[in-house]
Amino acid sequence: MRSEENGTKREALWEQAKLASELAYSPYSGVKVGAAVLDSQGRIHSGCNVENASYGLTQCAERNALATAIAAGARPGELVEIAVYATSFEVLSPCGACRQVMVELLSDTATVHCGSDRGSINSWPIESLFPSPFKLEES
Ligand code: THU
């Protein structure tokens, strides 16, 4: 992607993350989270958190957006940026389970952006957000 396209894509990514957060199913926590993933073809894939009465079955917005990207044909390593937007948070930071999945599916140089309706946006390279992740050894 050309560099001038990055800013426009970043805005679109935030827009999609915010729109996705409005679709959250979160009757238990009341927290609405939306995530949008940019693939190397410039496509955006989004997802929201989906809770369950059996609380541990809750699915985070990040993992749902990543799964949507894979189901749309994006391959691991082709996902270059993810934006996560949440209500009710001062500072949002992805949970450990989502970081593990991000490491496997995002490109090694991907950036993770997190923001909320209350606080500022924080951005991290995926390698600093989750250093030394578990990976299967290549045979
Ligand atoms: N949640 C996410 O979707 N992503 C995060 O990064 C943090 C937490 C959801 C899970 C649950 O539905 C609600 O936020 C409160 O934990």
Side-chain angles (χ1 to χ4, degrees):
M1 208 183 309
R2 294 196 315 273
S3 61
E4 70 265 28
E5 286 177 346
N6 287 344
T8 317
K9 279 290 173 192
R10 182 84 38 81
E11 278 174 34
L13 208 56
W14 275 118
E15 189 62 25
Q16 291 304 312
K18 281 184 188 175
L19 281 173
S21 74
E22 292 169 14
L23 300 173
Y25 174 67
S26 51
Y28 307 106
S29 74
V31 176
K32 292 177 176 289
V33 189
V37 187
L38 180 66
D39 72 21
S40 53
Q41 295 175 40
R43 298 184 302 169
I44 292 175
H45 313 274
S46 62
C48 61
N49 56 327
V50 179
E51 297 186 347
N52 192 272
S54 179
Y55 301 155
L57 299 182
T58 290
Q59 295 162 214
C60 289
E62 294 93 318
R63 275 175 285 154
N64 281 339
L66 290 162
T68 299
I70 293 297
R75 297 299 86 197
E78 293 175 358
L79 302 170
V80 296
E81 220 161 326
I82 181 168
V84 192
Y85 176 86
T87 60
S88 320
F89 276 84
E90 296 288 339
V91 178
L92 178 70
S93 177
C95 79
C98 287
R99 293 178 195 209
Q100 174 71 28
V101 175
M102 284 179 188
V103 162
E104 181 141 345
L105 299 181
L106 295 178
S107 82
D108 292 343
T109 56
T111 308
V112 180
H113 309 280
C114 289
S116 73
D117 55 346
R118 295 193 191 163
S120 57
I121 295 169
N122 288 307
S123 299
W124 301 270
I126 183 61
E127 61 177 348
S128 75
L129 200 58
F130 197 27
S132 308
F134 171 74
K135 285 184 178 174
L136 289 183
E137 289 174 0
E138 301 192 3
S139 53

